[in-house]
Amino acid sequence: MSQQTASAQKIHSFSRGLALALSLGLSLASAQNARQSTLVIGGDFSDLITLDPGVSYEFSGSLVAGNLYDTLVIYEGNDLKTLKPRLASSWTVTPTATGSRITFKLRDAKFSTGRPVTAADVIYSLTRVIALKTPSSFLLTDVANITAKSLSAPDAKTVVMDIPKTANPNIVLALLTFNVAGVVDATEAKAHEVKGDFGTAWLKDHSAGSGPFVLNRWDRSAQVALDVNPNAFRKSPNIKRVILRYMTESAAQQSSLNSGEIDVAWNYTPDAFKAAQSNPKFKALKTDTFMLSYLGMNSAKGMPFEDARVREAVRYAVDQDGIIDSLLQGLGRKTQTIVPIGLTGSDPKIYYPSNIAKAKELMKAAGKADGFSVDFLVSTGSCSGGVPCQDLAAKIQADLAKIGIKANIKQMVNSELYTTYRAQKAPLIQADWSPDYPDADGNGTPLSDYAAKSLAWRNGWNNPQASKLAQTAAIETNAAKRLAQYGQLTALLAKDGPFAILYQPYKPVVIQAGVSGFSRNANGDVQFEKISKK
């Protein structure tokens, strides 16, 4: 090693130690000693609204919650078809006169407080979600069709869940892998309960789980710091601290990765990702996703997109190929229906090839030949596939202008964007969606069934036929029949639904060459405890 190289490395180490010291309030010496056991991720985490596993329903919240809390069952790594034990050491499914019974036997595990995980904690965690009516409560109430009376605990190590014939036990097990089923220390949550909120205000920025990490602190719009949980059964032998640093701009992530300030960059642009692929300092990971980037069109009465012909016109106007080939540079795949590529039920048919003349005909038929003006809500920072949101928004704006729709771009940080969207107040929005569990129903119910109060509801789209199809397909156990039902559902939404699917992205993640054990699956899960650094 040359003297010049050695000096440069010392400067790099000093700078990184100083950055850690400043960000965490540590002494410089302590920060330098902690460098090898600290993982720093730079990314756009502005969608983070809460860290409560039963309330969080955004991508960043799920990423963090998966490392703070354990669920009964889980999908490990890239195997998204085989359920594995987590807090449940085993489980059985038996038929009953009214449906099915799932019996879980719990492993020996402790919360970060040192208290044992019991069946009572599991039941409390699920019933609080039902009672709170959180954004993800529909998974338990509408998909699993359970109530507080459905759950019982014969002893401290056994949880019994009785589900009716209107629910599919395989789907129920799958949805229990999502953070909505994260098990909370009931004693700790109750100790911080205020006015019957089940500890939600406190759990927003504190943790009470059994996962491999605990929350150190969340400095909003700055960083989230996690420390290793010494009581966890999922041990983290190498990484003792994880910092998720807010960096909404890809350029800032690139600069920080180059300088060694961060270990992982979450949002590289397609151009920068291409360059990183040939740089030996980094590992450029083109990770798979079940995510869909889409336009949501508010179809409620009195809204510009109330008429199905206007929604169809938008789908014909959007230039998918231009977005995927030019903006994403291949970091996206073309699909036009609501079940993503990679899940059974995905439909490869092209329902609406780009056709401006056809779109104009539909606008005229809907009495909108002269077009209209509408507020277009988009995120700041990077959108899925690494493309800057402002670039994607500008492309869509230009496409819609060709059929007379003036889309007035309103950029918001993700937390504000999704709060507005949840309140049904987004006239036109560019957003992302990924199923909560790897099954077609993970998209079928939320995007089709208005009663689920998820995406169909947010866009004011209430179609009884779609709701019935989604509900029927969710509980169908015959594979061929279920596939046919999803075929009908996807075709219906491609024609009438409130969505224009833009693309299914890959997630470009760039990491330092010395980082090993990093894996991000199509669900977006990353197990921090499996990562190490040189």
Side-chain angles (χ1 to χ4, degrees):
M1 181 185 295
S2 70
Q3 185 174 354
Q4 183 178 9
T5 302
S7 298
Q9 287 190 344
K10 286 180 181 178
I11 293 170
H12 162 78
S13 180
F14 176 84
S15 299
R16 185 144 186 222
L18 180 60
L20 283 168
L22 293 173
S23 66
L24 294 173
L26 302 172
S27 69
L28 177 58
S30 296
Q32 287 176 317
N33 291 335
R35 184 170 65 86
Q36 289 302 106
S37 61
T38 300
L39 183 76
V40 185
I41 304 173
D44 183 357
F45 304 115
S46 63
D47 64 332
L48 198 55
I49 297 173
T50 176
L51 297 175
D52 184 333
V55 181
S56 174
Y57 204 42
E58 288 68 42
F59 297 113
S60 298
S62 295
L63 172 68
V64 176
N67 287 280
L68 297 177
Y69 296 90
D70 289 312
T71 52
L72 290 168
V73 290
I74 200 68
Y75 292 106
E76 289 278 358
N78 290 314
D79 182 359
L80 298 176
K81 294 183 178 180
T82 308
L83 276 174
K84 299 289 181 65
R86 180 64 58 92
L87 282 176
S89 58
S90 64
W91 60 93
T92 57
V93 180
T94 54
T96 66
T98 57
S100 302
R101 170 170 289 181
I102 309 177
T103 303
F104 300 94
K105 292 294 183 180
L106 301 184
R107 70 160 71 233
D108 290 330
K110 290 182 178 181
F111 291 110
S112 58
T113 59
R115 299 186 187 98
V117 178
T118 69
D121 294 299
V122 176
I123 291 175
Y124 172 83
S125 300
L126 296 174
T127 54
R128 74 183 288 271
V129 173
I130 295 170
L132 287 169
K133 298 180 181 179
T134 75
S136 51
S137 291
F138 79 94
L139 294 171
L140 302 181
T141 58
D142 293 24
V143 180
N145 291 162
I146 63 171
T147 67
K149 293 180 181 179
S150 306
L151 305 165
S152 59
D155 57 62
K157 290 291 184 181
T158 307
V159 176
V160 175
M161 180 182 294
D162 286 308
I163 59 175
K165 292 179 180 178
T166 52
N168 183 333
N170 294 324
I171 298 296
V172 173
L173 285 166
L175 69 82
L176 290 177
T177 66
F178 187 54
N179 59 260
V180 70
V183 177
V184 174
D185 183 334
T187 301
E188 196 71 14
K190 289 174 183 177
H192 294 92
E193 185 172 322
V194 178
K195 296 180 180 179
D197 74 342
F198 292 87
T200 296
W202 185 80
L203 285 169
K204 184 175 184 177
D205 51 14
H206 295 80
S207 66
S210 59
F213 291 88
V214 297
L215 181 66
N216 176 304
R217 70 178 194 240
W218 173 23
D219 300 320
R220 286 165 178 74
S221 302
Q223 66 179 17
V224 180
L226 312 179
D227 288 336
V228 72
N229 174 10
N231 291 316
F233 70 88
R234 284 196 283 154
K235 299 297 182 184
S236 179
N238 299 296
I239 298 301
K240 305 303 180 185
R241 170 165 284 167
V242 178
I243 302 168
L244 286 79
R245 187 165 295 160
Y246 283 63
M247 293 181 173
T248 58
E249 297 299 328
S250 177
Q253 295 178 36
Q254 294 168 42
S255 175
S256 296
L257 197 70
N258 280 321
S259 69
E261 181 185 343
I262 64 175
D263 302 297
V264 180
W266 210 238
N267 307 103
Y268 257 44
T269 63
D271 281 335
F273 183 75
K274 187 174 291 186
Q277 288 178 308
S278 58
N279 189 331
K281 288 176 56 181
F282 307 130
K283 298 174 186 175
L285 310 176
K286 186 178 178 180
T287 67
D288 203 359
T289 77
F290 291 138
M291 187 181 293
L292 294 176
S293 179
Y294 68 92
L295 293 181
M297 297 172 278
N298 197 319
S299 308
K301 189 172 180 61
M303 298 297 287
F305 300 104
E306 178 184 0
D307 193 311
R309 292 168 294 189
V310 176
R311 302 194 295 271
E312 191 174 8
V314 168
R315 287 188 278 269
Y316 277 110
V318 172
D319 175 21
Q320 278 188 296
D321 292 330
I323 292 172
I324 294 169
D325 297 338
S326 299
L327 288 181
L328 291 169
Q329 299 183 45
L331 286 173
R333 289 173 284 181
K334 187 172 182 176
T335 186
Q336 296 189 339
T337 55
I338 64 167
V339 179
I341 299 165
L343 293 182
T344 301
S346 176
D347 185 352
K349 182 177 177 179
I350 301 301
Y351 283 88
Y352 39 93
S354 182
N355 188 330
I356 297 300
K358 175 70 173 176
K360 286 181 176 179
E361 288 177 11
L362 288 162
M363 290 288 284
K364 183 178 180 180
K368 302 283 187 181
D370 295 331
F372 55 86
S373 180
V374 63
D375 284 346
F376 180 24
L377 277 54
V378 300
S379 173
T380 56
S382 297
C383 281
S384 56
V387 62
C389 289
Q390 61 185 6
D391 293 353
L392 178 59
K395 168 61 176 166
I396 294 167
Q397 183 185 54
D399 288 345
L400 296 184
K402 294 176 183 177
I403 62 170
I405 298 177
K406 182 183 179 183
N408 304 310
I409 296 173
K410 308 286 185 183
Q411 282 196 284
M412 302 177 175
V413 296
N414 281 325
S415 57
E416 182 183 354
L417 181 86
Y418 283 102
T419 298
T420 302
Y421 193 22
R422 284 181 178 181
Q424 296 181 300
K425 294 181 179 179
L428 177 67
I429 188 171
Q430 190 282 313
D432 297 324
W433 176 266
S434 188
D436 303 321
Y437 45 94
D439 183 90
D441 182 61
N443 277 22
T445 292
L447 275 72
S448 308
D449 189 354
Y450 184 84
K453 284 200 169 183
S454 189
L455 292 198
W457 184 85
R458 292 180 194 179
N459 288 286
W461 188 69
N462 189 358
N463 184 305
Q465 183 185 358
S467 295
K468 185 176 181 179
L469 271 170
Q471 293 164 9
T472 302
I475 62 173
E476 179 58 63
T477 56
N478 181 287
K481 288 183 180 179
R482 193 168 193 249
L483 186 62
Q485 288 161 356
Y486 277 116
Q488 294 176 56
L489 183 63
T490 54
L492 190 160
L493 268 86
K495 176 73 174 177
D496 185 76
F499 312 107
I501 308 301
L502 301 174
Y503 55 91
Q504 182 173 335
Y506 292 101
K507 174 76 174 176
V509 179
V510 183
I511 66 177
Q512 300 284 357
V515 173
S516 58
F518 180 96
S519 175
R520 181 191 178 280
N521 66 23
N523 263 356
D525 303 321
V526 179
Q527 292 183 244
F528 295 150
E529 79 274 15
K530 293 190 174 182
I531 299 172
S532 61
K533 292 168 55 179
K534 292 181 181 178

